[in-house]
Amino acid sequence: DELNKNVILALPQKETMPIHSQLLTNIDTKRGGIGITSPRLKAIPSFILATKTTLDTIYNGVNLGKNRKRYMLPQPITSLYEDHTNNPSKLLQLFNKFGPEIANICTKQDTNQMEPFIHSTKLNTCHERINTSLADRLTQDVIFNLDQDSKHNIEEILDGKFGQGLLDLPRKDQNSRQPNNLFRYNLLRCLRINIWENNDANFICPLCKQDFDKKGDHLYQCSVLGKKIKTKMHDQWNSSWCEYMNRLMPLVKLADSKAM
């Protein structure tokens, strides 16, 4: 976690990272983060799933493929894992401590979930459900820890467009690379880190005379900028859309004449 934090802080040249920014670093890009995996989040689930696979092999044998009988391991090996719920082994003690919660996520059962979890729940299903559960918990933690000047913008923050724009384009193509200053700005916006740090500065928009936040939201919400830019852009988009639909609809025989 500390390594991830130091790398991220070095890019925009910041000294501190708030808790909500650290959480956004770990959230998948589709949920508004940048999808950097954290050992803190993956260590216990990975250990439990690895031990589950071992116990399944001990009790049911080695899977040799479809239509082939499982190979049962010799007793000197299986005896090491006998009665895993009461086994004094440190490995199995840890498994019994953290396993029930992971099993509850993977099997979606409230009681007697350990046996189905060990013997019949597929690993891919476990990975998918664990990742979904982690993402849901991280999202809740982000919302709880957001600064007050971000509370009004939760839906946009968790939309995912910022993270996807930063990471999803192939970097081999030079045209896909953002200029350094733009990448720094977008990274700060994505992680909700203050773009301007001066606490004594009087942030007032020179156009609309309203308060100007430190995270840059006002640049996209200013009523004066909207009248000058957004309305014009919207009108051009709307006109172009109507023009192309009027040409396409008759061609695909969804309308006999102009669509709009």
Side-chain angles (χ1 to χ4, degrees):
D1 287 351
E2 195 65 25
L3 177 61
N4 290 342
K5 178 181 174 182
N6 291 336
V7 170
I8 295 297
L9 286 175
L11 294 175
Q13 299 176 348
K14 294 287 184 178
E15 295 182 356
T16 59
M17 180 184 290
I19 294 176
H20 66 263
S21 300
Q22 297 178 43
L23 295 169
L24 282 168
T25 301
N26 300 140
I27 293 181
D28 188 79
T29 55
K30 294 180 180 179
R31 291 186 177 234
I34 56 177
I36 298 179
T37 302
S38 167
R40 170 176 50 86
L41 301 174
K42 295 291 186 179
I44 292 178
S46 297
F47 165 74
I48 297 299
L49 293 182
T51 308
K52 160 196 151 45
T53 303
T54 300
L55 291 175
D56 178 46
T57 302
I58 291 295
Y59 296 139
N60 301 315
V62 179
N63 188 352
L64 299 177
K66 291 183 179 180
N67 303 320
R68 297 188 66 181
K69 186 178 179 180
R70 284 190 172 220
Y71 172 76
M72 300 305 297
L73 294 173
Q75 195 273 338
I77 296 178
T78 59
S79 63
L80 298 174
Y81 297 87
E82 286 180 351
D83 189 15
H84 69 85
T85 55
N86 299 311
N87 195 305
S89 164
K90 186 67 175 178
L91 179 146
L92 293 176
Q93 287 181 359
L94 290 172
F95 179 78
N96 294 328
K97 178 179 180 180
F98 298 108
E101 185 175 356
I102 300 296
N104 187 30
I105 294 171
C106 294
T107 62
K108 295 187 176 180
Q109 296 181 13
D110 295 329
T111 57
N112 301 323
Q113 71 272 41
M114 288 301 291
E115 292 306 313
F117 170 63
I118 293 173
H119 298 293
S120 58
T121 309
K122 295 181 179 180
L123 274 179
N124 286 342
T125 301
C126 291
H127 284 298
E128 290 172 3
R129 291 178 177 175
I130 288 171
N131 289 339
T132 300
S133 178
L134 283 174
D136 291 340
R137 294 186 185 190
L138 285 172
T139 300
Q140 293 174 4
D141 290 343
V142 167
I143 294 173
F144 179 80
N145 287 286
L146 278 175
D147 293 338
Q148 198 59 40
D149 60 359
S150 297
K151 295 286 187 181
H152 70 289
N153 229 15
I154 291 175
E155 184 176 351
E156 179 181 326
I157 293 169
L158 301 177
D159 183 68
K161 292 184 177 63
F162 273 129
Q164 290 175 343
L166 289 170
L167 300 174
D168 286 358
L169 291 174
R171 291 295 182 263
K172 290 184 179 180
D173 184 357
Q174 293 287 342
N175 295 326
S176 297
R177 300 184 183 183
Q178 297 182 11
N180 291 340
N181 289 338
L182 179 60
F183 184 87
R184 175 183 180 276
Y185 170 79
N186 285 334
L187 181 63
L188 293 173
R189 289 268 298 151
C190 179
L191 298 180
R192 305 303 293 174
I193 300 176
N194 288 344
I195 298 173
W196 299 278
E197 293 289 357
N198 191 347
N199 294 325
D200 299 327
N202 187 19
F203 288 102
I204 301 295
C205 177
L207 298 177
C208 67
K209 310 303 180 185
Q210 301 296 316
D211 291 337
F212 197 102
D213 64 287
K214 295 182 179 181
K215 293 182 172 61
D217 292 337
H218 187 78
L219 292 170
Y220 305 91
Q221 298 167 354
C222 176
S223 58
V224 177
L225 282 174
K227 290 177 182 178
K228 291 183 176 180
I229 300 173
K230 293 182 181 178
T231 302
K232 181 179 179 181
M233 183 185 299
H234 178 271
D235 290 343
Q236 290 178 348
W237 167 259
N238 189 49
S239 298
S240 299
W241 174 256
C242 290
E243 178 186 349
Y244 282 105
M245 287 300 292
N246 286 333
R247 294 166 58 184
L248 287 173
M249 294 296 274
L251 289 175
V252 297
K253 298 182 180 180
L254 290 178
D256 295 331
S257 58
K258 289 185 177 181
M260 302 176 183

